[in-house]
Amino acid sequence: MSFTRRQVLAGLAGLGVVGVGAAAGARYWLGKPLFADTHDYELIAAPLDVELVPGHLTPAWGYGGQAPGLELRSRQGDWLRVRFINHLPEPSTIHWHGIRVPLEMDGVPYVSQLPVLPGEYFDYRFRTEDAGTFWYHPHTTSAEQLGRGLVGPLIVEEAGGSAFLHERTLSLKSWHVDEQGAFTDFSVPREAAREGTRGRLTTLNGARLPVLELPAGQVVRLRVLNLDNTVTYRLNLPEADVRIYALDANPIAPRPLGKEYWLGPGMRIDLALRVPEAGRELSLRNGPLRLATVRSVPSGLAAGDWPAPLPRNPIAEPDLESAETLSFNFEWAGALSSTAEGSAFKFWQINGQAWDINDKTCADRPIASLRKGRSYIFELRNMAQYQHPIHLHGMSFKVLGSNRRKIVPYFTDTFLLGKNETARVALVADNPGVWMFHCHVIDHMETGLMAAIEVV
Ligand code: C2O
Ligand code: CU
Ligand code: CU
């Protein structure tokens, strides 16, 4: 595959972008009105100091002047056009997690595009065919770039409009910072070989233990995103009347949240919360730990009812009768771990192969080749003690079942494969290209747990 370097940025002034500084305002970050004929958003990635620890600044990196990044929105069936401008000190790309895009828009360096160098820009344009809660992030030096804050929500509204009158986006991320707000290691080999390196400081929408004021008596859609490198949040909302409406952007028949839901890195869940009477507080938690306080405030609105289930997305239904079954074993590869100069640690492997993030040619050796239009069943086998949120680019898949728990089949882009679990998922290989297939614990992905699957 060959690339031509995209438009080199000749100077922001020429684009009508005002410079950095106090007067810059929203337009600097958000080009919507200014560039309406070429793009909807102008998304700048740049260093950004944030106050995560009171009284201390953390040298984060943000999208659109925020970390987590600016919320992007599109409507199902519409084109989304994002001009990504790189003001970071290093190359980057944007990957649109869960969006079924053509390969050239997938944001994987050397597979779908060249990295966007500092000072350059790249225009992403694609149709958002599926509605739901998605997100975006780089696919370059991921532990550090995502770790510093380059993660953001992408909301695709239902073509027919939302069934909900109220909604909130809740982005979860923990930060690798010390008590002074300085970054600590994003990846520690000893941790990468286990569950992954955890950040110390948990935030929701970039804030510690925020209070969310919600209208009493109303049903509010909570779009919860796990944008973290490592942590699986065990989400719960004790004493709340709350139902699950969608998993990883795809609608399910609404059901109660239950005791807790394990939201692995990269995963999303759309909840409907019936807000209690004014003055009451609920606590959104990760296991026993509070993430945020929900405070009910008077709304003056008549009590809301549960909205109808969300309409399903146009994802092809796999034909299980004719499907070929492929097995993928996710294993510990400790014996292969290497500290040799220039080569990455390899703690993990898929079917005996460990991805090397420093080797640009790995994607030339896909571990599976699928025929376009055919259905496949993937048997995902976790041979290890640590769980892996398994993610596929380019196509969504249907989770059929597991040897460890009862599953009501549903479509997704990321499946949390528990320790020693074997699960079966199925898809129609309807998007030609070379697609990354990896664990979304960034430490695992960068130490071997990634592969390419081609559709020809
Ligand atoms: Cu969020 Cu390669 O993915
Ligand atoms: Cu992805
Ligand atoms: Cu993993």
Side-chain angles (χ1 to χ4, degrees), residues 353-364:
Q353 278 179 252
W355 185 273
D356 181 345
I357 45 163
N358 296 330
D359 178 354
K360 297 179 182 55
T361 69
C362 282
D364 300 344

Side-chain angles (χ1 to χ4, degrees), residues 179-216:
E179 289 78 10
Q180 275 73 48
F183 279 119
T184 53
D185 288 344
F186 297 107
S187 180
V188 175
R190 181 171 28 89
E191 301 299 322
R194 297 184 168 85
E195 62 157 16
T197 310
R198 279 175 177 257
R200 254 191 66 247
L201 188 123
T202 299
T203 58
L204 186 147
N205 294 347
R208 275 282 299 142
L209 299 173
V211 175
L212 311 167
E213 298 201 328
L214 298 180

Side-chain angles (χ1 to χ4, degrees), residues 95 97 135 137 139 391 393 436 438 440:
H95 168 66
H97 183 119
W135 66 295
H137 60 80
H139 231 278
H391 171 53
H393 290 206
M436 295 301 106
H438 62 87
H440 225 290

Side-chain angles (χ1 to χ4, degrees), residues 28-70:
Y28 177 72
W29 298 110
L30 236 185
K32 199 143 190 159
L34 204 55
F35 301 106
D37 45 340
T38 54
H39 50 281
D40 307 306
Y41 291 100
E42 171 174 295
L43 193 65
I44 296 176
L48 174 79
D49 288 343
V50 293
E51 189 175 337
L52 297 167
V53 178
H56 298 277
L57 289 180
T58 297
W61 290 349
Y63 284 123
Q66 292 173 217
L70 182 76

Side-chain angles (χ1 to χ4, degrees), residues 239-298:
E239 286 156 49
D241 193 5
V242 59
R243 300 182 182 179
I244 306 175
Y245 268 60
L247 297 174
D248 309 313
N250 290 296
I252 62 165
R255 62 168 191 250
L257 172 62
K259 197 169 143 277
E260 60 184 19
Y261 184 85
W262 289 33
L263 195 70
M267 297 166 70
R268 296 87 65 209
I269 186 170
D270 284 48
L271 300 173
L273 169 68
R274 183 190 287 287
V275 183
E277 65 276 16
R280 274 203 50 204
E281 288 189 348
L282 296 169
S283 138
L284 175 65
R285 308 192 312 178
N286 170 24
L289 306 170
R290 186 191 308 215
L291 297 166
T293 300
V294 171
R295 179 175 298 151
S296 174
V297 296

